[in-house]
Amino acid sequence: MRLRAVLAVTAMVLLAACGDAGGRGVAAAPPGGGAPQAAARTASQSPTPTFNMDDMMGFYPQQTVFVADAEKVSAVTLLNHFTRYAIATRGKAQVATDTVTAAGWLYVLDGLETAAVRLRTFDLGTGVERASRSDIGLVAPQRAIATAVDGRVLVLKSDVRHAWVDAYERLTLKPLGTVIEKPGCGDRLLASQIRLAIVCLATGEIAVNELHGGATTLLAPLMPGLAAAVMANEGTIYAVTPDRRFATAGYGETTLTPIRWPAAWTGTVLPDGLAIANASATAVIAQTDTDGSWLRVMAMRVIAPQASQRLAGRLTGAPQFGIMAFYPFAYFTSGGSVRHVQIDTGILETMTELGQGATIAAVVDR
């Protein structure tokens, strides 16, 4: 109790100091890609930063969620729900992160609805732009960017005949050639520490190969009409359909093995409504039913249901544009509202409001 009292006094002193500073503690938009207007709006709405005792007490480590909307990518922190910076974009962007290095990199792919798709590198912590190139070509419309453990930036591209993944150097974005390709469609890119895959949701095709090229294998049997497919860090692939067909293929396996779906988990799996919670062997699945929307939580080591957390009512608040997870939280948006839910307890909280179309693009542990 004495420690809490000291911390509380410290908090009040800090708040007073911030108030005297006239809002100078609010970070300005970074040069070379920031959004000064967005930063100004944030400062006027909250000139004194919110102080969160949970931050000092160390209840949760920091996480940052990157949210893309029609005009920017916002970096929103878990603790205090603070918008650290915003990067202006040409339409809704796609995002990937590289946290292998101490500093970390953020990659933003935008202009997807134009003939001039742009790929840029930013400092993960500050949003300062480091490199840019606009000769990327035809890019898949969603979840088409990822990073490899060796630092390469991977971009999924497609045309009417085939789909392929081109690699770029982590900082300069110098082209490094094609890593994998497959005939037919490709609309999702999956990557892990040891392999990557191109997914076609409509046909259920999942083409897999090693990170450094080599033969490409098509997983069987096909699961047409996929709602989502993801890859865990160790290379295991999980795929699910709207009507609750769930399957997995471990590293080195070429067969998708069905996973028994819990009978009590009725309803429809939402598009991109599957995620693996980093730092845990837990799958989270967003589902809607006649009584509302739910986050289904399944342990993957023993393949067993763990919990079913209510997210919203029957008519409003259901996750839109998919979910992402970093244990112990899952993140989603609904009607422009950015939300997180604690996977173990179901505690649900709104982080910020960013307008219609806001989409969770990436999550990191810093």
Side-chain angles (χ1 to χ4, degrees):
M1 295 301 294
R2 185 175 300 172
L3 175 60
R4 287 184 176 273
V6 171
L7 291 175
V9 172
T10 304
M12 289 187 287
V13 172
L14 289 173
L15 287 173
C18 291
D20 291 342
R24 290 193 297 271
V26 178
Q37 297 85 352
R41 286 196 299 270
T42 302
S44 64
Q45 291 170 358
S46 181
T48 302
T50 302
F51 187 86
N52 189 332
M53 287 293 289
D54 292 357
D55 192 339
M56 292 187 66
M57 297 301 289
F59 290 164
Y60 298 112
Q62 183 64 281
Q63 294 181 8
T64 300
V65 57
F66 295 91
V67 185
D69 62 33
E71 60 184 17
K72 64 185 178 301
V73 169
S74 302
V76 183
T77 60
L78 169 68
L79 302 178
N80 301 331
H81 301 166
F82 176 65
T83 300
R84 183 176 290 161
Y85 58 81
I87 296 170
T89 60
R90 301 168 182 167
K92 185 185 290 189
Q94 299 183 38
V95 168
T97 60
D98 178 359
T99 57
V100 174
T101 63
W105 303 111
L106 170 70
Y107 302 100
V108 177
L109 189 66
D110 67 354
L112 302 176
E113 298 177 353
T114 71
V117 177
R118 178 175 56 169
L119 176 62
R120 291 178 289 167
T121 305
F122 297 87
D123 288 338
L124 186 66
T126 65
V128 174
E129 183 175 333
R130 296 298 182 181
S132 176
R133 66 181 309 126
S134 299
D135 57 350
I136 304 303
L138 302 171
V139 175
Q142 297 183 56
R143 303 204 179 200
I145 183 171
T147 56
V149 69
D150 59 10
R152 289 178 295 170
V153 187
L154 307 173
V155 179
L156 174 61
K157 305 177 182 183
S158 63
D159 58 24
V160 295
R161 299 181 299 105
H162 72 309
W164 70 99
V165 174
D166 282 344
Y168 298 85
E169 197 274 333
R170 70 171 4 136
L171 179 55
T172 66
L173 301 180
K174 174 184 175 181
L176 299 176
T178 299
V179 183
I180 178 178
E181 59 182 322
K182 69 174 287 292
C185 88
D187 47 22
R188 296 292 187 277
L189 171 61
L190 312 182
S192 71
Q193 297 177 359
I194 52 179
R195 66 173 176 171
L196 71 160
I198 297 175
V199 179
C200 178
L201 297 178
T203 65
E205 295 173 319
I206 303 177
V208 181
N209 86 345
E210 307 301 316
L211 282 170
H212 297 281
T216 298
T217 302
L218 192 65
L219 300 185
L222 300 183
M223 296 174 61
L226 289 172
V230 296
M231 186 185 296
N233 285 338
E234 85 288 353
T236 301
I237 292 173
Y238 301 92
V240 65
T241 64
D243 58 356
R244 305 181 300 281
R245 287 175 290 135
F246 195 21
T248 182
Y251 177 67
E253 298 177 350
T254 60
T255 300
L256 283 166
T257 302
I259 296 174
R260 183 178 180 182
W261 190 270
W265 291 0
T266 57
T268 302
V269 177
L270 293 171
D272 291 313
L274 169 65
I276 302 298
N278 292 22
S280 75
T282 305
V284 293
I285 305 158
Q287 197 173 17
T288 56
D289 205 348
T290 55
D291 59 350
S293 60
W294 300 83
L295 186 77
R296 315 298 193 183
V297 185
M298 182 176 288
M300 301 315 300
R301 287 196 179 97
V302 295
I303 312 297
Q306 287 186 313
S308 189
Q309 313 292 10
R310 187 176 178 87
L311 298 179
R314 185 174 63 86
L315 299 178
T316 60
Q320 296 175 307
F321 312 114
I323 60 172
M324 290 190 176
F326 206 119
Y327 191 82
F329 295 97
Y331 297 88
F332 66 96
T333 61
S334 184
S337 175
V338 183
R339 304 176 184 181
H340 65 68
V341 56
Q342 191 170 353
I343 293 170
D344 297 326
T345 66
I347 295 175
L348 180 66
E349 191 169 1
T350 295
M351 300 177 69
T352 188
E353 301 287 342
L354 290 176
Q356 291 291 337
T359 301
I360 302 297
V363 183
V364 296
D365 59 342
R366 55 180 70 183

